[in-house]
Structures are given as C-alpha cells and as structure tokens.
Amino acid sequence: MTSNSGVKPPQLPIDEVPIDPKAEAISIARGQATGQDESNFFAEDAARYKLLHNQQKLGHLGKLWGSSSSAPTNIAGMLLILCIVIVCCSFFPANQTPGLDDLRKWLYGITTTCLGFLFGAKTSSKGE
C-alpha cells in the first residue's frame, strides 16, 4: 500500500505501531436485558408465528369469515347487518307495494333468527 505521495510507509512490527490518541475507547457495556425480557421476547415471537401459521391455514374463505370457531358468529353478524340495511332501504321508495311488505316480513324473520343465534351463541359459550 502506498501513501498519496507514492512513497511506501515504513512497516513496523505490530507492537511498535503508534496508538491514535483520538480513537474511541472500547467500552464493554453489559446488556440491560433481564431474563423476563428474554422470556417476553420469545413469547411475542411464538405468538407472531402462531398468527402467521393460522393465517396460512385459513384459506380464502377463512380469511374473510375467520376461523371455524368464529365463522358462524361472523356470518350471522354480517347477515344481521345486511338485513337491517335492506329493511331501512325498503322504506325509501315512494311507491310501497305488497311485494315490498312481503320482503320486509322475510327480512324481519331472518333478522330475528340472526339475533337469536348471536345471543344464543354468546350464552352457550359462557356456560362452557
């Protein structure tokens, strides 16, 4: 290796090389983590792994509805919201027909069935 002037610097043995006084001192700091911090780190990583594994296992419909334990409740909730929206929208047309009244009767039945399922699902899960 040559310097900028093209002159090769002298090769000194390693024990005779001058030490740069402006160089930073090497400080060996002890880690501040505790055993509990390490345990929490691994628990969070395990939870993240389990979540990713479950997401891969669900499939396309599972991503939309949730896992097999929560899918019926999610579907009933979506159906309940959809029925309520359709019933509310059925009051807007100025021309009310008997067919619209029949549609509302069906939607009321579906709505109350969904409500019964949701409340029944909540109370049965408390008993287990």
Side-chain angles (χ1 to χ4, degrees), residues 43-95:
E44 288 173 8
D45 193 47
R48 188 177 308 115
Y49 172 78
K50 186 184 283 187
L51 178 67
L52 289 173
H53 181 57
N54 286 341
Q55 284 177 347
Q56 289 175 347
K57 243 177 35 177
L58 287 176
H60 295 296
L61 289 177
K63 288 178 183 175
L64 179 66
W65 300 116
S67 65
S68 62
S69 61
S70 64
T73 308
N74 292 343
I75 293 170
M78 188 274 315
L79 191 58
L80 175 69
I81 291 170
L82 185 67
C83 286
I84 290 173
V85 168
I86 293 174
V87 166
C88 290
C89 290
S90 72
F91 287 107
F92 287 121
N95 164 356

Side-chain angles (χ1 to χ4, degrees), residues 8-122:
K8 191 173 184 180
Q11 295 295 324
L12 299 173
I14 191 74
D15 58 341
E16 294 178 10
V17 175
I19 298 175
D20 185 9
K22 297 176 188 169
E24 295 182 24
I26 298 174
S27 62
I28 301 174
R30 291 184 53 200
Q32 300 298 322
T34 64
Q36 185 65 34
D37 292 338
E38 184 178 349
S39 228
N40 290 341
F41 172 78
F42 286 116
E44 288 173 8
D45 193 47
R48 188 177 308 115
Y49 172 78
K50 186 184 283 187
L51 178 67
L52 289 173
H53 181 57
N54 286 341
Q55 284 177 347
Q56 289 175 347
K57 243 177 35 177
L58 287 176
H60 295 296
L61 289 177
K63 288 178 183 175
L64 179 66
W65 300 116
S67 65
S68 62
S69 61
S70 64
T73 308
N74 292 343
I75 293 170
M78 188 274 315
L79 191 58
L80 175 69
I81 291 170
L82 185 67
C83 286
I84 290 173
V85 168
I86 293 174
V87 166
C88 290
C89 290
S90 72
F91 287 107
F92 287 121
N95 164 356
Q96 299 292 323
T97 63
L100 201 53
D101 290 336
D102 289 339
L103 174 70
R104 280 193 209 116
K105 288 178 189 175
W106 276 96
L107 290 172
Y108 291 148
I110 294 171
T111 302
T112 54
T113 303
C114 289
L115 279 172
F117 178 80
L118 289 173
F119 284 111
K122 291 296 181 188

